[in-house]
Amino acid sequence: MTIISNGYRLLLRPLLFMMAPEAAQTVAEFALKRRLAWRLLSPAFRVRDARLRVSAGGLMMENPVGLAAGYDKNCAMLPSLGDLGFGYLLAGTVTESPQPGNPKPRLVRLAGEQSLLNALGFPNEGLESAARRLELARGSARGTPVVVSVSGLAAEEIVRCHRRLEPLADAIEVNISSPNTAGLRLFHEPRVLAELIDRVNERRSKPLWVKMPPYPAGGEGPRGSEGLDSVLALARVCMDGGVDAVTVANSRPTSDARLSTGSGGLSGKAVFPDTVRMVADIRAEVGGGLAINACGGIFSPGDAWMALRAGASTVQLYTGLVYGGPGVVRQINRGLLAIMEREGVESLRAADAGA
């Protein structure tokens, strides 16, 4: 595994980073679609240890490290991603109709900060394409739970996506938080989100997750300030509506002239302090009644442990996978075990609400 990690860091990543970010992503997707290679490598990536098992968001997981939404937008690489040792996979975000996303350039690396800027929007091939791929992939992610992220600009669109894909997934996550899709702000109104959750609940039979919007830029205002309080109000709506988990949170809205839209979302190391702050605040607000997935700036075992200690039930990677390569999941899981031994922690608490 050290050879794989060092090979990526010293050889593959420099080559990929010579390409435009979306071109490098295309190369990574091509490699991940070579199914047999990843199946053979799977034993090198997986960490099987009962101390890492968690029950969170209505799902049983081999470990608390998940793949964040946005990496596999079209549900096309799930079997290979399942071989990388994740505890669960988030596919999508899927919308009812195919979407091209925003014009290029829409993805910028901030290598010195180990971060990314993106203004992708929701580029994806649409609901029926995702459904076909999920049908083909069923049972081939090697027992790794698959959660599908869905979104739309109207409640009816989201409900139709949920009803079509729920039978094909282990859970559905409703994404109300993309900083590149202005129409989603409609669902930042607690009453509107409550109505959406009620509509989904009418016919759902599997766990429901909601991806939360981030705190205002900086996230340092007093707890009662308007922006922070509105996020906490959404968390209360989710808990009251029987949602199983919230993902905290999406990328931070940021202006940048290098993006075609002039603004986008910041992800990676730069947002990690905000992630931990949001996790702690939401856990204090909802108590033990809701699982929390920490998403934003998780790169190392120390990052994951800090998020879990703040109240997260699981952690999610996207930018950390881009910078750390396919061995990063094993590195985090092995590191968590070492921290647990040092701290005298026998196992991660197997409870939907997290620790």
Side-chain angles (χ1 to χ4, degrees):
M1 179 49 62
T2 300
I3 294 174
I4 293 174
S5 299
N6 288 341
Y8 180 82
R9 181 173 54 86
L10 297 175
L11 179 61
L12 292 179
R13 188 176 71 187
L15 290 173
L16 289 170
F17 279 27
M18 291 174 66
M19 307 176 190
E22 286 198 66
Q25 177 69 14
T26 299
V27 171
E29 290 178 5
F30 176 84
L32 283 165
K33 290 175 181 176
R34 311 283 75 82
R35 178 73 186 95
L36 179 59
W38 298 103
R39 183 182 299 171
L40 293 173
L41 287 170
S42 179
F45 292 117
R46 289 184 174 274
V47 177
R48 286 191 166 92
D49 193 303
R51 293 172 293 174
L52 292 173
R53 291 177 187 158
V54 294
S55 172
L59 300 176
M60 291 296 302
M61 305 166 185
E62 192 171 81
N63 65 72
V65 184
L67 175 71
Y71 192 86
D72 188 2
K73 297 175 178 64
N74 293 307
C75 311
M77 301 173 286
L78 293 173
S80 296
L81 289 167
D83 286 328
L84 297 187
F86 285 104
Y88 64 95
L89 304 171
L90 252 164
T93 295
V94 176
T95 57
E96 186 173 29
S97 300
Q99 301 289 336
N102 291 319
K104 298 179 182 180
R106 55 190 184 178
L107 192 60
V108 174
R109 291 190 200 94
L110 304 176
E113 302 174 42
Q114 296 188 78
S115 298
L116 294 172
L117 282 169
N118 94 82
L120 291 164
F122 285 145
N124 74 102
E125 296 174 3
L127 177 59
E128 289 307 317
S129 175
R132 287 192 297 272
R133 287 201 167 110
L134 287 165
E135 286 168 351
L136 291 172
R138 291 181 77 177
S140 61
R142 300 178 71 85
T144 306
V146 173
V147 184
V148 181
S149 170
V150 301
S151 195
L153 300 183
E156 292 77 11
E157 296 176 22
I158 294 174
V159 169
R160 285 192 291 268
C161 286
H162 179 274
R163 290 177 181 169
R164 178 70 175 93
L165 297 181
E166 189 192 47
L168 305 175
D170 295 291
I172 299 292
E173 178 174 272
V174 174
N175 184 353
I176 64 166
S177 65
S178 170
N180 309 306
T181 310
L184 288 182
R185 296 192 186 109
L186 168 71
F187 299 108
H188 297 181
E189 166 58 45
R191 177 186 58 80
V192 177
L193 178 59
E195 291 173 355
L196 172 62
I197 292 171
D198 287 344
R199 290 281 309 279
V200 171
N201 281 340
E202 288 173 3
R203 288 176 53 182
R204 81 172 172 101
S205 59
K206 293 182 180 178
L208 176 66
W209 298 6
V210 173
K211 188 163 192 176
M212 303 288 286
Y215 276 172
E220 296 176 353
R223 182 177 163 86
S225 68
E226 181 180 356
L228 278 61
D229 189 63
S230 67
V231 174
L232 297 177
L234 295 177
R236 291 194 297 272
V237 166
C238 290
M239 184 176 65
D240 293 342
V243 168
D244 296 277
V246 292
T247 297
V248 180
N250 214 322
S251 52
R252 182 201 302 162
T254 305
S255 298
D256 196 290
R258 288 171 288 183
L259 298 168
S260 65
T261 56
S263 63
L266 176 67
S267 67
K269 273 290 187 185
V271 304
F272 180 66
D274 286 351
T275 299
V276 174
R277 187 179 301 116
M278 281 193 73
V279 167
D281 286 350
I282 291 177
R283 177 58 69 209
E285 188 71 25
V286 303
L290 195 62
I292 299 174
N293 308 310
C295 180
I298 308 294
F299 277 61
S300 70
D303 297 336
W305 184 249
M306 188 178 298
L308 293 169
R309 296 294 287 180
S313 313
T314 78
V315 299
Q316 295 179 6
L317 312 181
Y318 181 141
T319 309
L321 179 63
V322 171
Y323 281 90
V328 70
V329 183
R330 177 182 172 86
Q331 176 194 355
I332 290 174
N333 280 320
R334 295 297 300 173
L336 280 174
L337 288 171
I339 292 171
M340 291 163 62
E341 289 178 1
R342 186 173 69 239
E343 298 290 326
V345 176
E346 293 184 2
S347 67
L348 298 178
R349 184 182 301 173
D352 276 0

